[in-house]
Amino acid sequence: MSGHASNYEPKSAFAKWFHERLPIMDMVQGQALDFPTPKNLNYWWTFGGILAVMLVVQIITGVVLAMHYTPHVSMAFQSVEGIMRDVNSGWLIRYLHSNGASMFFIAVYIHMFRGMYYGSYKAPREVLWMIGVLIYLVMMATAFMGYVLPWGQMSFWGAKVITNLFSAIPWVGDSITTLLWGGYSVDNPTLNRFFSLHYLLPFVLAGLVVLHIWALHVVGNNNPTGVSVKSPQDTIPFSPYYTVKDAFAIVVFFMFYAAWVFFSPNYLGHAINYQEANPLVTPAHIVPEWYYLPFYAILRAIPDKLGGVIAMFGSILILFALPWLDTSKVRSGTYRPIFKQFFWLFAINCVILGFAGSGAPDNYFLSHEPADPDKWALTYKLVGQICTAYYFLHFLVILPLLGLLETPKPLPASISDAVLAKSHPSTAYVPAE
Ligand code: HEM
């Protein structure tokens, strides 16, 4: 890793001997402990650390679950029930893992929206951002395959709906679906390959996270002002300042996580997944986990299957292009008065998309009544369509235009100036030209 030379001095004869053979402590000191970090990072910057810890929690609980799980259609459901009832603390390990997935997604959404608000995707952090988007895609695939493993009704039918989408791809679609299924329907080979990949992908994620942090350490952290580090006065060493701050945030986040695990462990799941998969009984309403709902709404917004699939994947892939779609020279939303409002509108639009993805398409929005086909009605489908259009409008029209038309507020001359102006308002900073 480049970015910062370390001051590491081996203190004992053994440390010196080891250092000459593997200078790993040198790297730890330079990259983790002494790393110069902007001194004004707020709590939104603790979510990267929270995510890293959550990945470790998911891997550890997952490896323990795999010791007791049987990836076979005739035994998977019972083996999960066995984990819940017979394995010592099995219920805890399983609830930590299933709710851990939701916590992981809450943290990643906060992390991504933080990046969007403060313009962390802009030069020179484009590659860092794009590795992040790749991480997000792999997370989605991993969680999807994990949800299939208990082989409940929603596992089975969710797998069926999502794998079927690939068949819409012209020419190769059917072959891809057959390959995913390992046959001509969702069955034992499908469960086997999903189990294998669900075990593998978290380690791929860990590798991507190493690349992500490497890229971060080459270009350095962004910060709430979006102004680049200009002098050593703008930074403080990562440890102890941010190790302590991150540790505190992780403890608070774990209290939130524990509240779900111990008080409402099934709230974020689907009751119907406690019924074993039955290929002959289709559930009345097939819905994915909450973290996929906005994309599910986009998929259903387009009346054509292939169109829906393109829109759904397009809505994620467009994030790769974000650094070039946002034309503003100013990074942080703090100094972009109009962007700030559009940012919040976009966030609300994503939440509404989530609601739109949760209901049966032809029902009235936020009511269980089926819509009258002869009357104009605000259905889940219609709301999904409006919000889908706005989602793409935000990236393809609003962001590119806003960067050209908006007049940003004056930026502080440096991070230190912004910090001083906050703690001593009388020493107001001089805006940079
Ligand atoms: C397993 C998932 C992930 C882990 C463990 C992770 C870890 C981290 C860490 C430790 C940092 C530095 C601290 C911080 O800024 O919070 C960071 C920064 C960053 N991450 Fe992630 N990340 C993950 C996913 C993502 C995703 C999905 C994206 C975007 C799509 C992303 C984009 C960024 C960006 C742009 C920064 C630089 C932030 C700045 O300095 O302003 N990350 N990440």
Side-chain angles (χ1 to χ4, degrees):
M1 287 193 188
S2 64
H4 181 62
S6 116
N7 308 319
Y8 177 71
E9 289 288 340
K11 294 218 168 55
S12 64
F14 172 74
K16 189 165 180 295
W17 176 87
F18 192 77
H19 176 68
E20 281 161 5
R21 283 148 185 86
L22 183 66
I24 192 168
M25 293 315 293
D26 191 45
M27 199 187 80
V28 170
Q29 176 103 27
Q31 296 298 327
L33 305 177
D34 293 347
F35 191 71
T37 312
K39 60 182 175 188
N40 59 340
L41 298 188
N42 58 31
Y43 272 101
W44 300 118
W45 264 262
T46 60
F47 280 87
I50 291 174
L51 281 164
V53 173
M54 283 313 298
L55 180 60
V56 174
V57 169
Q58 289 303 90
I59 290 180
I60 293 174
T61 51
V63 167
V64 177
L65 285 173
M67 294 172 189
H68 304 279
Y69 170 77
T70 312
H72 191 279
V73 289
S74 65
M75 287 149 88
F77 187 82
Q78 279 75 13
S79 73
V80 173
E81 281 306 295
I83 291 171
M84 296 297 282
R85 292 155 196 260
D86 298 335
V87 174
N88 289 336
S89 305
W91 62 272
L92 179 60
I93 304 285
R94 178 167 183 236
Y95 282 152
L96 280 172
H97 195 76
S98 58
N99 286 279
S102 283
M103 298 304 117
F104 205 168
F105 275 96
I106 290 177
V108 93
Y109 284 135
I110 294 177
H111 190 67
M112 290 167 76
F113 275 89
R114 182 284 314 262
M116 289 190 204
Y117 184 82
Y118 292 111
S120 298
Y121 48 80
K122 286 176 186 252
R125 298 184 183 78
E126 303 95 320
V127 171
L128 166 63
W129 169 262
M130 288 160 80
I131 297 172
V133 178
L134 200 60
I135 289 177
Y136 177 55
L137 275 171
V138 176
M139 271 177 73
M140 302 250 268
T142 310
F144 165 67
M145 289 190 253
Y147 194 66
V148 178
L149 303 184
W151 210 241
Q153 272 290 67
M154 203 60 97
S155 303
F156 178 86
W157 290 96
K160 191 146 185 135
V161 170
I162 301 301
T163 49
N164 234 313
L165 294 177
F166 289 89
S167 68
I169 302 171
W171 301 299
V172 289
D174 283 336
S175 313
I176 294 178
T177 316
T178 311
L179 190 71
L180 284 173
W181 285 344
Y184 298 99
S185 64
V186 175
D187 209 328
N188 201 47
T190 326
L191 182 62
N192 279 185
R193 56 195 60 199
F194 279 18
F195 176 55
S196 168
L197 292 175
H198 184 68
Y199 206 133
L200 171 73
L201 287 182
F203 297 97
V204 174
L205 268 179
L208 288 172
V209 169
V210 170
L211 286 183
H212 191 61
I213 312 267
W214 182 0
L216 175 77
H217 281 215
V218 171
V219 293
N221 284 90
N222 184 26
N223 66 87
T225 66
V227 174
S228 301
V229 169
K230 289 184 182 138
S231 72
Q233 275 74 45
D234 290 340
T235 64
I236 44 177
F238 186 79
S239 188
Y241 299 101
Y242 289 114
T243 36
V244 170
K245 188 167 181 166
D246 280 359
F248 175 70
I250 288 164
V251 169
V252 173
F253 189 80
F254 266 61
M255 288 158 79
F256 174 71
Y257 178 18
W260 287 101
V261 169
F262 293 110
F263 294 109
S264 210
N266 289 303
Y267 185 82
L268 296 167
H270 302 110
I272 199 174
N273 225 29
Y274 279 100
Q275 281 173 21
E276 190 168 2
N278 184 346
L280 300 178
V281 179
T282 315
H285 188 32
I286 303 171
V287 261
E289 294 284 88
W290 69 266
Y291 35 83
Y292 300 119
L293 288 175
F295 303 104
Y296 197 50
I298 294 176
L299 170 77
R300 298 192 310 186
I302 317 287
D304 171 66
K305 187 172 169 186
L306 179 60
V309 171
I310 292 173
M312 184 178 73
F313 283 109
S315 66
I316 303 170
L317 297 182
I318 204 168
L319 292 172
F320 280 113
L322 181 56
W324 296 276
L325 290 171
D326 181 350
T327 49
S328 170
K329 298 237 170 350
V330 172
R331 288 198 191 100
S332 173
T334 312
Y335 301 98
R336 299 186 59 193
I338 306 178
F339 165 84
K340 200 188 275 188
Q341 294 177 26
F342 279 109
F343 169 85
W344 288 112
L345 214 56
F346 175 73
I348 293 167
N349 188 65
C350 288
V351 174
I352 302 177
L353 267 176
F355 276 110
S358 72
D362 291 331
N363 278 7
Y364 287 119
F365 192 57
L366 298 183
S367 124
H368 294 296
E369 295 291 313
D372 183 341
D374 296 330
K375 281 196 203 141
W376 186 90
L378 197 60
T379 57
Y380 280 89
K381 187 172 169 189
L382 184 64
V383 171
Q385 286 171 330
I386 296 167
C387 293
T388 298
Y390 186 77
Y391 183 96
F392 286 104
L393 200 75
H394 178 82
F395 286 110
L396 297 175
V397 180
I398 296 174
L399 283 186
L401 284 185
L402 212 55
L404 305 175
L405 302 178
E406 182 185 39
T407 310
K409 287 201 220 162
L411 293 177
S414 70
I415 294 174
S416 296
D417 278 18
V419 172
L420 283 176
K422 221 173 177 180
S423 49
H424 307 286
S426 57
T427 58
Y429 57 75
V430 187
E433 285 308 313

